[in-house]
């Protein structure tokens, strides 16, 4: 990886206003320079190859190729890559996926400017940087048994407001079997009803507002 007097940073986000805000956040810092930008996962990979930044701030919700996939691809090709996942998502599944893909830190877009700068400098120094709330979410992830592929299908359908009959039709199973799946899912998640299951799934990042997993 290239080195220089300044920390060379690449910004990856598909929202122009976010990019402008990040630029404004970093511009006053004498030891940091923004040297590249990208608006989707595929472009992020291309720009990384072209510029070899010291630090990459990578949004997770990207078009064309999402941030986790882009992180995984970059880290596979460049094991020394130092990537900070930058997101609005607080779900523990999202945190786990980003870190498993190779991110060295996971920070929120609305975090205080000084904490963002601490993350950049810590990761540049070879450290992992996880805010306290992220560490807490990771502990919750470890305590919670992962959902099976079928359970993920069921929770996604519940998020769409599907009845047991509709879930059965979507999965090609009997309505009574769908009912059993839903019952087991509620028990596993420790909730009383479908609404609570969906809210918990959203809170943990198992599904997102568009119903995706």
């Amino acid at each position: 990886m290239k080195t220089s007097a300044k920390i060379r940073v690449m910004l990856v986000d598909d929202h122009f206003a976010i990019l402008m805000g990040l630029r404004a956040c970093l511009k006053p810092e004498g030891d940091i320079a923004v040297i590249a930008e990208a608006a989707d996962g595929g472009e992020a990979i291309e720009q990384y190859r072209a510029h070899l930044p010291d630090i990459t701030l990578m949004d997770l919700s990207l078009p064309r190729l999402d941030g986790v996939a882009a992180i995984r691809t970059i880290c596979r090709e460049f094991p020394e890559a130092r990537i900070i996942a930058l997101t609005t998502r607080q779900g523990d599944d999202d945190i786990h996926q980003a870190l498993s893909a190779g991110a060295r830190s996971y920070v929120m877009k609305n975090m205080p400017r000084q904490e963002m700068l601490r993350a950049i400098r810590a990761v540049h120094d070879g450290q992992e940087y996880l805010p306290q709330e992220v560490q807490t979410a990771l502990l919750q992830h470890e305590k919670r048994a992962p959902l099976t592929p079928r359970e993920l299908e069921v929770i996604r359908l519940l998020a769409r407001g599907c009845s047991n009959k509709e879930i059965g039709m979507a999965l090609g199973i009997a309505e009574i079997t769908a009912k059993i799946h839903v019952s087991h899912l509620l028990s596993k998640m420790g909730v009383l009803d479908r609404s609570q299951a969906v809210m918990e799934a959203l809170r943990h990042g198992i599904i997102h507002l568009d119903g995706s997993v």
Side-chain angles (χ1 to χ4, degrees):
M1 182 174 293
K2 295 179 181 179
T3 58
S4 66
K6 291 190 176 186
I7 302 172
R8 302 166 62 256
V9 176
M10 179 169 77
L11 307 177
V12 184
D13 200 293
D14 61 324
H15 292 92
F16 181 67
I18 298 295
L19 287 175
M20 288 185 63
L22 290 172
R23 279 192 230 120
C25 172
L26 301 181
K27 186 175 181 179
E29 303 305 309
D31 62 335
I32 296 175
V34 175
I35 53 91
E37 295 177 3
D40 62 57
E43 186 182 6
I45 296 169
E46 295 169 2
Q47 291 289 356
Y48 191 95
R49 290 168 178 160
H51 297 279
L52 298 178
D54 299 317
I55 295 290
T56 299
L57 293 179
M58 179 80 72
D59 183 26
L60 297 186
S61 301
L62 294 171
R64 206 176 136 203
L65 186 72
D66 68 38
V68 170
I71 292 170
R72 186 176 294 112
T73 299
I74 291 171
C75 290
R76 187 183 299 123
E77 188 171 342
F78 303 94
E80 75 280 14
R82 295 174 180 176
I83 301 177
I84 297 173
L86 182 65
T87 182
T88 58
R89 299 176 180 176
Q90 295 182 339
D92 48 0
D93 271 28
D94 289 317
I95 297 169
H96 179 75
Q97 289 177 25
L99 297 179
S100 295
R104 305 284 186 93
S105 179
Y106 188 104
V107 298
M108 308 304 295
K109 292 181 181 180
N110 62 354
M111 72 190 309
R113 176 175 177 273
Q114 289 304 316
E115 190 165 4
M116 174 81 69
L117 296 173
R118 279 196 294 271
I120 291 172
R121 290 174 177 132
V123 173
H124 181 255
D125 288 341
Q127 306 170 31
E128 290 188 349
Y129 184 89
L130 297 177
Q132 185 58 52
E133 60 269 27
V134 172
Q135 295 182 39
T136 300
L138 281 175
L139 287 175
Q140 292 174 346
H141 183 279
E142 296 302 322
K143 293 176 182 177
R144 178 171 52 80
L147 299 184
T148 66
R150 175 48 57 90
E151 289 167 341
L152 288 173
E153 291 178 316
V154 171
I155 193 64
R156 186 177 66 243
L157 292 168
L158 287 180
R160 295 177 181 174
C162 293
S163 65
N164 289 338
K165 183 177 181 179
E166 290 169 331
I167 291 173
M169 292 176 63
L171 300 181
I173 58 178
E175 181 179 353
I176 185 63
T177 304
K179 183 178 181 180
I180 292 171
H181 279 310
V182 171
S183 178
H184 285 171
L185 177 64
L186 299 185
S187 177
K188 184 173 184 176
M189 295 181 71
V191 297
L192 299 176
D193 57 37
R194 294 162 177 253
S195 296
Q196 288 184 11
V198 172
M199 292 302 296
E200 279 294 292
L202 286 168
R203 186 168 70 87
H204 289 291
I206 299 170
I207 60 173
H208 304 112
L209 289 175
D210 60 0
S212 63
V213 296

